[in-house]
């Protein structure tokens, strides 16, 4: 090894500064001076150069001769981070050789947890031929057949997704032994099993969902075995199981023995099983100098099993570990970071640290409040930037919390000749279920099209109306109907001539409504199609015909009224820009094709990327847009739950605080628990033995104590959820290097108001 063993660490650091053109902060230097005598936690804030420092730290250890590069293992969570580490290592080696710091070119091993676990498993004869299944979606077709309680609100694919999110959570939190049922299910009846499952998800599902969960997941396990496949969860579980056998444990430990220095990046994302495996397989010597690097403020994967408690309690996990901070953010403009700090510091589950920006004067924030005169201010600004030839579009990112937010934005942008890369074709407006109901009904009326009319008949008069149409058609014989007018004439004949059946009576009422709307529309068309009122009238006709369906769906809460209104007002506004519905339909077809067809996408000059807040982690952009962050899950008023009941609150403290709040601030307490949709609250307050004025006495009642305990658990869970949402918002804000744009919609996520934002932009 051509090391610099004669050079002191200070000299190596100075060479690094000159070779890389950086001036390290005192904190960074302190980390590079680490002597590897103790375990180390690098408690880093976003953009503080932790990846940079991790790699340089490895290079210092190698150049001082403490380890050979082949003895170093860097573990990450995603392939993207692994590649980033590999690339940066190469780059630094080259740049440092220019200043005389030469290292042999063998590379340390940078690996994801998955790849490492797979490698270990394959050393075991039993698993040497296993193949990896990247995702359950490989079996979607087969798994779909096991969904026998389809939801009225979610598609089958969405339901499958929810099933596997729940399954992952259970596996990663160690809540299941067989990867299907909750632990202890042998002593539970069905109802208790469903109840235990429902505790593992924040969504509220019908019993049918949990029945389907068991069917789907059981079948999934069978399919994997039949096909000789293992997924990422299986790897962890199979490793742990085989580690119970001393022979295999030793075998895996022998493989890991070569690594004398191990660094785990993004340690805030580690889950229980990953920690169990890694801590058992590394030698005690390597564990004694284990370096973990992470930012507890960026722990956003609890739904996948990540548990910030490992980073929070590292010093207890590894007695005599030391903690070093990286508190200067080199990425985020200072003004933007200042806006983020008041929010994130409200979290109670976080490590003590100071946060500051390297460049405190940098950064601009714009906020936008959509109103009647300016609904799309934020998108207009985005369009200007995308069209600005001096800006590289890769430097722009639109971040959303929920997938549906991509739909209208992408369509609006397509109207302005900008292609939004939303990464999911099913989210394109023209493929939206409710949009299709209206637009196909419009096409039926305008183009005299029977097929569209028939497609949407169940939305005009429910399934019974479709049955009536089938009946009328049957009387007509087997001939195909192409024109809606043909069907309407047939049914009119039936109305006049037949002794009507009950089905006819039901159907004629809807037929009459269709005839009326159809005639109106066709009369307008005959008077000349170029009339600014026609498109909107046509929309209103379609709305009238489908009103029963939408009222039914919203009253049963299958559709959110807010989301529906947003969609329809967008559609109405779109239509008001056309004189002829044909032009509208043509343009809609065009937009669908540019947003979904590969060859069309490739032709689009102006592209802009949409990412979820989760996807944006680890990335940085000059211009960031926080778009359509709504109160869908973090409801107005519910932040009080986190304010008064921290996620780690003890039961005694909870009871103490709750007793006072319910007595003196009853209205606000009702609001907080109700808006957080914590049903355990209403269970408690409706229990007749519970009396807030005689709180102490109520607690003598067994039932009250049980309900109180249920409420305590639910409040803690919701409080932890709020803190995770706060971290997610922090991740989003800190992606912005120069400019942050925030949309404050009417039903904005209340966490946005914890940020220090300027007044909305006036147009
Ligand atoms: N001492 C320094 N002086 C100037 N720039 C620096 C310094 N250290 C790091 N940087 C720069 O700061 C930016 C962020 O660094 P890096 O990507 O390593 O941060 P990170 O902590 O891994 O980020 P995150 O956790 O938010 O993804 C990079 O552009 C890096 O070059």
């Amino acid at each position: 090894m051509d090391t610099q063993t004669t050079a002191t660490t200070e000299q190596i650091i100075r060479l690094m500064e000159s070779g890389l053109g950086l001036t390290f902060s005192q904190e960074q230097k302190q980390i590079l001076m680490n002597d590897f005598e103790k375990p180390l936690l690098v408690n880093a804030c976003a953009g503080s150069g932790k990846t940079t420092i991790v790699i340089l730290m490895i290079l210092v250890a190698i150049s001082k001769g403490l380890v050979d590069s082949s003895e170093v293992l860097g573990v990450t969570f995603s392939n993207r981070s692994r590649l980033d580490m590999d690339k940066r290592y190469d780059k630094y080696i080259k740049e440092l050789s220019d200043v005389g710091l030469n290292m042999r070119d063998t590379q340390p091993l940078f690996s994801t947890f998955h790849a490492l676990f797979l490698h270990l498993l394959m050393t075991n004869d039993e698993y040497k031929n296993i193949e990896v299944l990247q995702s359950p979606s490989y079996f979607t077709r087969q798994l779909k057949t096991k969904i026998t309680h389809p939801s009225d609100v979610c598609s089958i694919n969405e339901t499958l997704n929810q099933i596997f999110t729940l399954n992952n959570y259970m596996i990663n939190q160690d809540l299941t032994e067989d990867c299907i049922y909750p632990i202890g299910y042998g002593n539970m009846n069905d109802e208790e099993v469903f109840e235990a499952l429902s505790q593992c998800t924040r969504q509220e599902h019908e019993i049918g969902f949990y029945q389907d969960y068991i069917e789907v997941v059981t079948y999934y396990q069978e399919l994997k075995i039949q096909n000789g496949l293992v997924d990422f969860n299986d790897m962890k579980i199979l490793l742990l199981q085989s580690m119970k056998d001393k022979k295999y444990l030793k075998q895996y430990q022998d493989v890991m023995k070569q690594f004398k220095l191990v660094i785990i990046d993004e340690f805030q994302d580690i889950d229980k099983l990953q920690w169990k495996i890694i801590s058992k397989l590394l030698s005690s010597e390597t564990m004694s100098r284990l370096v973990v690097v992470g930012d507890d403020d960026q722990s956003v994967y609890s739904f996948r099993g990540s548990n910030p408690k490992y980073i929070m309690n590292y010093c207890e996990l590894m007695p005599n570990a030391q903690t070093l901070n990286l508190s200067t953010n080199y990425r985020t403009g200072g003004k933007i970071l200042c806006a983020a700090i008041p929010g994130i510091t409200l979290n109670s589950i976080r490590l003590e640290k100071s946060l500051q920006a390297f460049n405190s004067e940098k950064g601009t924030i714009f906020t936008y409040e959509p109103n009647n005169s300016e609904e799309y201010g934020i998108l207009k600004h985005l369009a200007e930037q995308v069209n600005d030839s001096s800006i590289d579009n890769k430097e722009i990112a639109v971040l959303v919390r929920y997938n549906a937010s991509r739909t209208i934005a992408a369509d609006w942008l397509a109207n302005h000749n900008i292609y939004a890369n939303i990464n999911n074709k099913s989210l394109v407006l023209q493929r939206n279920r409710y949009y299709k109901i209206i637009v196909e009904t419009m096409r039926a009326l305008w183009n005299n099209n029977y097929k569209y009319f028939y497609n949407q008949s169940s939305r005009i008069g429910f399934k019974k109306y479709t049955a009536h149409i089938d009946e009328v058609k049957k009387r007509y014989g087997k001939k195909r109907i192409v024109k809606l007018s043909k069907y309407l004439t047939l049914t009119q004949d039936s109305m006049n001539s037949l002794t009507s059946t009950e089905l006819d009576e039901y159907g004629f009422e809807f037929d009459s409504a269709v005839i009326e709307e159809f005639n109106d529309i066709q009369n307008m068309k005959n008077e000349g199609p170029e009339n600014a009122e026609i498109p909107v009238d046509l929309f209103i006709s379609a709305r009238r015909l489908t009103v029963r369906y939408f009222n039914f769906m919203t009253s049963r809460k299958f559709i959110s009224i807010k989301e529906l209104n947003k969609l329809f007002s967008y559609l109405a506004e779109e239509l008001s820009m056309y004189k002829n519905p044909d032009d509208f339909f043509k343009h809609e077809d065009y937009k669908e094709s540019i947003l979904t067809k590969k060859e069309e996408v490739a032709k689009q000059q102006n592209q802009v990327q949409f990412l979820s807040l989760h996807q944006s982690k680890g990335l940085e952009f000059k211009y960031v847009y926080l778009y359509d962050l709504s109160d869908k899950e973090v409801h107005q008023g519910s932040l009080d739950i986190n304010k008064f009941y921290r996620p780690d609150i003890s039961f005694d403290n909870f009871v103490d605080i709750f007793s006072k709040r319910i007595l003196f601030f009853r209205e606000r307490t009702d609001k907080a628990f109700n808006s957080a949709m914590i049903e355990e609250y209403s269970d408690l307050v409706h229990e007749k033995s519970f009396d807030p004025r005689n709180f102490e006495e109520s607690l003598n009642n067994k039932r009250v104590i049980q309900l109180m305990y249920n409420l305590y658990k639910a409040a803690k869970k919701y409080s932890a959820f709020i803190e995770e949402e706060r971290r997610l918002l922090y991740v989003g804000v800190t992606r912005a290097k120069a400019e942050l744009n925030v949309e404050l919609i009417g039903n904005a996520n209340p966490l946005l108001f914890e940020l220090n934002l300027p007044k909305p932009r006036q147009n």
Side-chain angles (χ1 to χ4, degrees):
M1 187 175 188
D2 183 10
T3 56
Q4 311 287 311
T5 36
T6 49
T8 63
T9 311
E10 283 88 345
Q11 284 167 330
I12 297 172
I13 292 174
R14 271 200 295 280
L15 281 172
M16 285 179 161
E17 285 186 309
S18 75
L20 306 179
L22 290 175
T23 306
F24 299 133
S25 65
Q26 271 316 314
E27 287 179 337
Q28 290 179 324
K29 277 188 193 157
Q30 211 184 339
I31 294 167
L32 295 176
M33 302 275 291
N34 179 36
D35 54 12
F36 302 100
E37 303 261 306
K38 291 182 198 153
L40 170 68
L41 160 66
V42 177
N43 173 21
C45 76
S48 58
K50 72 181 160 52
T51 316
T52 316
I53 293 301
V54 162
I55 293 169
L56 295 180
M57 191 180 187
I58 295 172
L59 289 171
V60 171
I62 296 171
S63 55
K64 282 178 67 185
L66 291 176
V67 283
D68 192 74
S69 50
S70 62
E71 294 168 334
V72 180
L73 168 67
V75 193
T76 68
F77 287 81
S78 67
N79 225 1
R80 201 189 56 215
S81 320
R82 182 192 66 77
L83 283 170
D84 183 36
M85 283 185 135
D86 258 334
K87 237 168 56 195
R88 288 209 210 186
Y89 187 88
D90 271 351
K91 180 172 169 272
Y92 295 162
I93 289 264
K94 282 196 195 95
E95 289 173 359
L96 294 177
S97 76
D98 293 345
V99 287
L101 199 58
N102 295 315
M103 265 147 287
R104 228 186 12 202
D105 48 9
T106 53
Q107 187 102 337
L109 176 68
F110 293 116
S111 168
T112 60
F113 269 110
H114 293 144
L116 180 67
F117 291 171
L118 180 66
H119 172 73
L120 288 166
L121 260 187
M122 288 173 88
T123 62
N124 182 330
D125 276 348
E126 210 181 314
Y127 303 117
K128 66 172 187 250
N129 294 322
I130 51 171
E131 279 188 53
V132 179
L133 176 64
Q134 300 285 342
S135 146
S137 58
Y138 179 75
F139 290 123
T140 297
R141 200 171 39 81
Q142 291 97 314
L143 296 174
K144 271 181 176 176
T145 61
K146 297 288 174 190
I147 304 263
T148 50
H149 303 86
S151 152
D152 287 302
V153 205
C154 307
S155 67
I156 300 272
N157 281 341
E158 281 166 347
T159 305
L160 278 179
N161 245 329
Q162 290 159 356
I163 286 177
F164 282 102
T165 304
L166 168 58
N167 187 234
N168 276 332
Y169 182 82
M170 292 185 53
I171 294 171
N172 291 317
Q173 299 290 339
D174 227 357
L175 301 171
T176 169
E177 271 168 354
D178 61 359
C179 298
I180 304 170
Y181 287 92
I183 288 175
Y185 84 96
N187 300 322
M188 297 177 186
N189 59 31
D190 281 358
E191 217 169 274
E192 286 164 337
V193 168
F194 300 147
E195 175 56 30
L197 289 173
S198 75
Q199 295 292 319
C200 301
T201 166
R202 259 190 305 112
Q203 291 164 332
E204 281 176 30
H205 296 287
E206 304 281 328
I207 291 287
F209 171 84
Y210 299 107
Q211 290 168 332
D212 286 353
Y213 164 90
I214 288 168
E215 290 295 315
V216 167
V217 178
T218 307
Y219 190 36
Y220 176 60
Q221 303 295 353
E222 286 164 18
L223 285 169
K224 280 186 296 181
I225 295 171
Q226 283 163 16
N227 293 278
L229 297 167
V230 289
D231 65 16
F232 295 135
N233 285 327
D234 296 332
M235 287 183 210
K236 290 188 268 190
I237 288 174
L238 294 177
L239 253 186
L240 268 174
Q241 275 168 0
S242 52
M243 277 160 60
K244 286 185 189 154
D245 183 330
K246 281 198 178 124
K247 181 180 116 198
Y248 291 122
L249 177 63
K250 171 143 188 345
Q251 189 176 312
Y252 302 144
Q253 283 171 334
D254 283 347
V255 177
M256 296 298 283
K257 223 161 51 195
Q258 62 175 303
F259 300 117
K260 302 270 187 301
L261 173 60
V262 174
I263 299 187
I264 307 177
D265 195 14
E266 306 274 6
F267 190 65
Q268 75 279 358
D269 289 336
I270 199 155
D271 68 45
K272 196 169 172 175
L273 304 189
Q274 286 162 335
W275 177 252
K276 254 190 188 173
I277 297 172
I278 203 90
S279 56
K280 276 198 180 148
L281 295 187
L282 294 177
S283 70
S284 54
E285 195 195 338
T286 307
M287 281 300 276
S288 74
R289 61 166 83 102
L290 181 71
V291 178
V292 302
V293 189
D295 179 5
D296 51 318
D297 287 334
Q298 293 187 69
S299 171
V300 291
Y301 284 112
S302 73
F303 65 91
R304 245 170 31 186
S306 302
N307 195 335
K309 88 168 189 216
Y310 292 99
I311 190 164
M312 299 286 306
N313 303 328
Y314 188 68
C315 294
E316 284 149 42
L317 222 54
M318 305 286 286
N320 94 38
Q322 62 168 333
T323 303
L324 293 174
N325 292 333
L326 282 179
S327 50
T328 303
N329 181 327
Y330 290 90
R331 171 197 301 139
T332 316
K335 290 189 176 152
I336 299 172
L337 187 67
C338 273
I341 291 173
I344 196 65
T345 46
L346 288 174
N347 268 5
S348 59
I349 304 286
R350 69 190 292 267
L351 291 164
E352 193 54 45
K353 63 169 90 75
S354 70
L355 298 170
Q356 72 249 351
F358 181 63
N359 191 337
S360 58
E361 286 311 305
K362 218 175 109 189
T364 315
I365 306 178
F366 296 120
T367 55
Y368 306 79
E369 242 172 29
N371 54 39
N372 291 342
S373 64
E374 184 50 288
E375 188 153 3
Y376 301 104
I378 190 166
L379 293 181
K380 280 186 183 157
H381 182 65
L382 171 66
E384 276 166 28
Q385 251 168 11
V386 175
N387 288 324
D388 182 340
S389 57
S390 68
I391 293 177
D392 176 358
N393 290 352
K394 290 200 184 75
E395 286 282 10
I396 308 175
V398 184
L399 311 185
V400 296
R401 175 68 183 94
Y402 301 106
N403 275 339
S405 302
R406 302 172 197 225
T407 305
I408 289 181
D411 194 76
W412 190 95
L413 290 167
N415 283 339
H416 293 77
N417 296 320
I418 292 169
Y419 170 76
N421 185 354
I422 56 174
N423 296 316
N424 189 340
K425 287 181 192 165
S426 67
L427 293 173
V428 168
L429 179 65
Q430 290 71 19
R431 297 192 175 180
N432 176 286
R433 204 163 125 195
Y434 310 125
Y435 165 96
K436 260 181 139 169
I437 293 173
I438 294 296
V439 175
E440 286 203 349
T441 309
M442 286 167 56
R443 285 186 197 248
L445 297 174
W446 181 253
N447 293 329
N448 192 4
N449 184 308
Y450 173 76
K451 191 180 114 205
Y452 288 134
F453 160 71
Y454 185 78
N455 282 353
Q456 299 308 335
S457 56
S458 65
R459 274 69 181 241
I460 295 172
F462 300 98
K463 286 208 172 115
K464 212 167 149 190
Y465 182 47
T466 312
H468 158 80
I469 297 170
D470 288 335
E471 200 52 42
V472 171
K473 224 175 96 186
K474 216 158 76 193
R475 290 181 201 137
Y476 171 61
K478 284 219 163 87
K479 277 179 251 164
R480 220 178 115 227
I481 299 181
V482 178
K483 290 190 173 171
L484 171 59
S485 54
K486 177 76 197 170
Y487 165 75
L488 296 176
T489 319
L490 288 175
T491 198
Q492 260 172 326
D493 291 348
S494 304
M495 278 186 218
N496 298 334
S497 65
L498 271 177
T499 28
S500 332
T501 63
E502 207 185 300
L503 189 61
D504 284 329
E505 287 302 327
Y506 179 86
F508 289 152
E509 193 191 323
F510 292 101
D511 283 337
S512 304
V514 175
I515 291 169
E516 200 177 312
E517 301 295 347
F518 178 72
N519 288 342
D520 278 357
I521 295 297
Q522 291 299 315
N523 287 341
M524 276 198 260
K525 192 174 182 178
N526 292 337
E527 279 167 25
E530 295 284 330
N531 176 345
E533 280 168 20
I534 295 182
V536 176
D537 280 351
L538 181 56
F539 168 73
I540 294 170
S541 283
R543 283 283 285 129
R544 266 201 297 260
L545 286 179
T546 52
V547 71
R548 276 197 191 208
Y549 166 80
F550 284 112
N551 283 349
F552 175 81
M553 296 295 278
T554 47
S555 67
R556 297 284 176 99
K557 298 201 169 59
F558 290 141
I559 311 179
S560 127
I561 298 185
K562 273 185 202 161
E563 277 175 28
L564 201 63
N565 285 345
K566 195 166 172 180
L567 183 78
F568 287 156
S569 58
Y570 177 75
L571 197 53
E573 201 183 308
E574 282 279 283
L575 283 155
S576 66
M577 289 187 281
Y578 292 88
K579 282 191 178 145
N580 184 339
D582 286 328
D583 295 337
F584 168 76
F585 295 135
K586 214 161 101 194
H587 197 218
E588 291 301 290
D589 291 340
Y590 166 72
K591 282 189 288 186
E592 182 173 3
S593 88
I594 61 166
L595 287 164
T596 54
K597 290 198 181 128
K598 252 194 188 152
E599 60 280 12
E600 291 296 331
V601 169
K603 284 188 220 155
Q604 304 308 311
Q605 301 263 319
N606 288 329
Q607 304 212 3
V608 62
Q609 57 192 316
F610 274 59
L611 299 167
S612 68
L613 288 167
H614 284 102
Q615 286 168 330
S616 75
K617 200 162 146 264
L619 305 178
E620 55 184 38
F621 306 93
K622 218 164 168 181
Y623 309 95
V624 166
Y625 289 76
L626 297 183
Y627 178 72
D628 195 32
L629 300 189
S630 73
D631 62 353
K632 190 169 168 172
E633 287 181 288
V634 185
H635 305 285
Q636 313 289 340
S638 70
L639 297 189
D640 266 7
I641 304 291
N642 176 250
K643 187 169 171 189
F644 297 109
Y645 317 106
R646 298 305 194 155
D648 55 353
I649 192 168
S650 69
F651 184 53
D652 286 349
N653 275 346
F654 174 80
V655 171
D656 188 33
I657 297 171
F658 180 73
S659 64
K660 293 183 183 111
R661 297 229 34 102
I662 194 161
L663 189 61
F664 300 116
F665 305 96
R666 178 62 190 255
E667 216 174 294
R668 198 163 154 179
T669 305
D670 283 351
K671 185 170 181 218
F673 282 100
N674 292 336
S675 61
M677 294 200 275
I678 296 179
E679 281 166 14
E680 288 80 353
Y681 178 70
S682 102
D683 293 347
L684 176 71
V685 293
H686 289 117
E687 164 59 46
K688 57 181 184 323
S689 314
F690 176 68
D691 177 5
R693 282 156 305 170
N694 287 313
F695 202 91
E696 286 295 317
E697 214 169 289
S698 304
L699 290 183
N700 291 329
N701 181 297
K702 256 189 178 168
R703 170 108 185 111
V704 171
I705 279 281
Q706 183 57 52
L707 292 174
M708 184 74 71
Y709 191 70
N710 295 348
L711 178 64
Y712 161 69
K713 279 201 310 195
K716 265 166 69 108
K717 197 167 161 190
Y718 192 81
S719 187
F721 160 71
I722 296 277
E723 297 210 352
E724 177 132 335
E725 289 294 313
R726 214 176 250 138
R727 290 192 288 266
L728 196 55
L729 185 58
Y730 175 73
V731 167
V733 172
T734 53
R735 301 307 96 194
K737 291 198 274 189
E739 186 184 296
L740 177 73
N741 294 277
V742 184
E743 191 185 32
L744 295 172
I745 49 177
N747 55 330
N749 182 331
L751 294 171
L752 284 168
F753 299 104
E754 294 175 352
L755 305 179
N756 186 10
L757 297 173
K759 289 224 152 53
R761 217 175 172 180
Q762 300 300 327
N763 290 285

